[in-house]
Amino acid sequence: MFAKRDKKYKSKYNMAGTKGWLENLKYNIERYMYLLHRITGVGLVLYLILHIFVTSSRMYGVEAYESAHGVIFNPIFDIGLFLVMAGVIFHGVNGLRLILNEFGLLLGKPTKPVYPYRKVLKTQKPRTLLISMIIIGLILLLIVAYELLLVWVW
Amino acid sequence: MSGKNAEKTIVMKIKRWDPDKGEFFISTFEIPVYKGMTVLEAFTYIKENLDHSLAYRGSCRMATCGTCGVIVNGKPVLACATQILHLNTDTIVVEPLKNLPLVRDLIVDHTVFFEKQKKIKPYLIRRNEEEYWDPVREYIQTPEEHEEYMQFTYCLTCALCYSACPTSGTNMNYLGPQALTNAYRFIADSRDEGTLERLEVVDSPDGCWGCHLAGSCSEVCPKGVDPALAIQLLRKKLAEEVFGYLEYKEGAKLVHTLQVAEKKTTRTYPEFTVKGAKKDVL
Ligand code: HEM
Ligand code: SF4
Ligand code: SF4
Ligand code: FES
């Protein structure tokens, strides 16, 4: 706009860009959740590709499948699998929270803007939802850890 | 400034945009701070005493006009509503707001931001054009109906939310928290009949589906508008429309037409106090 008026004038969009995802984090927990949901979402897609790659070895016969699994039968990969499961659990549980809240459910109604101002995400209903989801996630994670450890204890 | 005792001296680093070179540079100033001094007053102090070339914007200096938004120590705030001593640091870093075009130093161009607000038709839409352009009375609205959207009318169009939102940061076409909130403000208004028109505008990845409920907009909003709430409620409306549950909302009637219905409801309306007022009603 201004550039048209004066060619010498240099303007630019001061876009925060992807770096901006790391900003404004500390004010509310939902912003961390937003970031983690993205990271786990992309992580799961990458895992899915890897997963398909490994299981598709079955196409080259039982031996290829067995040897591919031989590589994976290793504590390091189990730690990896644990991380993937942690990602799945976070993404799934937080995804449920997002589905509910993003359709305007469990949020409550607008209020009169009286100081100190209310932020709905910090009120009881959405906070209870978030904390319950964290608890459910942690329980699931413990079960996964137990199952994975069993393999090595046996 | 004179006559007030400085409590301490702070260092203010200002990230400034140079429109001639097309790059940022940083200026550092030492500022004596008195009790109650705001960031906006510090800019004025710099301009009067240290560097006349500093460009910033401010007008009402009481959190009403929404022009003085800047980023202070990483958080988008109104410079006039931020007291330096409340920040509890000796070094303050100030930057221009993000996601908008830079003009000079701390000044950004809000034009795109206002254009987005225009897109959602921020005015009452009525089916009856004749009545709309030639109104004889105001539309009736109860206090409860007013409360449905009152919170969202407090917006100053300061663009702090627009600067904090991670979606606005990566998608230039995203309508942004402010415009989407404004769309809901009108949809929730009992006098409005433009729900479908507005839902059409916001039903896109650049509209309310671009929001990921990061909630930063509500954190930085200086007026308690809570855009994160408005956008989710807007989505609820959109979902209702998609699944066919959206009730057609007939806009509130003019005061006089409701007078006729008065007998059926328990609502009471004030008597006309102006003589002859009833004449032009019917
Ligand atoms: C357990 C079931 C799952 C649920 C309930 C779920 C839920 C969601 C929700 C609600 C979103 C939108 C988030 C937002 O609005 O910001 C989302 C985004 C996403 N999901 Fe899932 N998801 C699940 C499984 C998966 C799986 C298995 C993958 C990968 C193969 C995946 C990949 C993604 C990606 C890449 C995104 C985009 C991330 C973003 O835009 O921030 N999801 N998921
Ligand atoms: S809640 Fe939505 S609009 Fe608000 S900052 Fe987050 S993504 Fe942006
Ligand atoms: S919603 Fe709040 S932060 Fe956003 S423009 Fe309006 S007053 Fe500013
Ligand atoms: S100067 Fe008007 S809002 Fe700050």
Side-chain angles (χ1 to χ4, degrees), chain B residues 111-126:
Chain B
T111 314
V112 273
F113 178 75
F114 295 140
E115 287 300 322
K116 285 177 180 173
Q117 193 193 359
K118 277 190 204 159
K119 277 193 191 159
I120 59 94
K121 308 178 203 261
Y123 38 82
L124 289 183
I125 296 175
R126 302 282 297 190

Side-chain angles (χ1 to χ4, degrees), chain B residues 7-233:
Chain B
E7 298 252 324
K8 63 174 178 180
T9 305
I10 55 115
V11 176
M12 186 177 267
K13 288 190 180 154
I14 303 187
K15 191 174 163 190
R16 303 164 66 175
W17 175 253
D18 181 343
D20 295 324
K21 294 201 185 103
E23 60 190 29
F24 282 112
F25 66 103
I26 290 174
S27 301
T28 309
F29 304 101
E30 280 189 10
I31 298 161
V33 185
Y34 57 83
K35 200 169 169 218
M37 187 180 191
T38 63
V39 174
L40 186 65
E41 282 166 326
F43 295 160
T44 316
Y45 177 83
I46 294 169
K47 198 161 179 83
E48 282 175 353
N49 303 293
L50 305 173
D51 182 351
H52 308 320
S53 72
L54 178 71
Y56 63 94
R57 212 166 40 205
S59 177
C60 70
R61 51 105 188 92
M62 53 182 224
T64 301
C65 71
T67 200
C68 66
V70 286
I71 297 180
V72 172
N73 290 348
K75 187 174 189 181
V77 293
L78 293 178
C80 69
T82 307
Q83 292 193 20
I84 294 173
L85 291 179
H86 286 178
L87 294 170
N88 276 329
T89 55
D90 291 337
T91 316
I92 294 175
V93 183
V94 185
E95 302 168 55
L97 287 183
K98 296 200 175 171
N99 310 334
L100 291 163
L102 295 153
V103 178
R104 190 189 142 148
D105 288 357
L106 291 170
I107 299 178
V108 289
D109 182 359
H110 280 58
T111 314
V112 273
F113 178 75
F114 295 140
E115 287 300 322
K116 285 177 180 173
Q117 193 193 359
K118 277 190 204 159
K119 277 193 191 159
I120 59 94
K121 308 178 203 261
Y123 38 82
L124 289 183
I125 296 175
R126 302 282 297 190
R127 297 279 157 259
N128 188 342
E129 293 266 321
E130 206 180 312
E131 170 214 88
Y132 184 74
W133 291 111
D134 191 16
V136 283
R137 283 272 177 280
E138 65 271 36
Y139 300 119
I140 194 86
Q141 186 162 64
T142 63
E144 293 77 37
E145 285 166 343
H146 184 205
E147 232 172 81
E148 290 287 316
Y149 70 90
M150 177 191 191
Q151 182 176 20
F152 310 129
T153 62
Y154 275 52
C155 175
L156 311 169
T157 59
C158 63
L160 298 190
C161 52
Y162 196 83
S163 175
C165 175
T167 308
S168 300
T170 43
N171 180 359
M172 278 187 175
N173 299 322
Y174 181 49
L175 284 173
Q178 190 274 336
L180 291 171
T181 301
N182 225 257
Y184 185 74
R185 174 248 174 278
F186 281 97
I187 287 174
D189 190 326
S190 64
R191 297 165 298 176
D192 183 76
E193 293 174 341
T195 302
L196 293 178
E197 270 117 308
R198 290 200 193 83
L199 286 184
E200 209 170 295
V201 180
V202 302
D203 182 11
S204 99
D206 295 336
C208 67
W209 303 114
C211 168
H212 297 282
L213 197 56
S216 298
C217 47
S218 300
E219 283 304 313
V220 300
C221 178
K223 284 286 159 181
V225 172
D226 212 351
L229 170 62
I231 297 169
Q232 314 322 313
L233 295 177

Side-chain angles (χ1 to χ4, degrees), chain A residues 9-11 14 17 31 102 120, chain B residues 19 99 102-103 169 216 226 235:
Chain A
Y9 179 93
K10 291 194 185 73
S11 179
N14 187 20
R31 182 80 188 231
E102 289 189 349
V120 90
Chain B
N99 310 334
L102 295 153
V103 178
S216 298
D226 212 351
R235 272 203 182 123

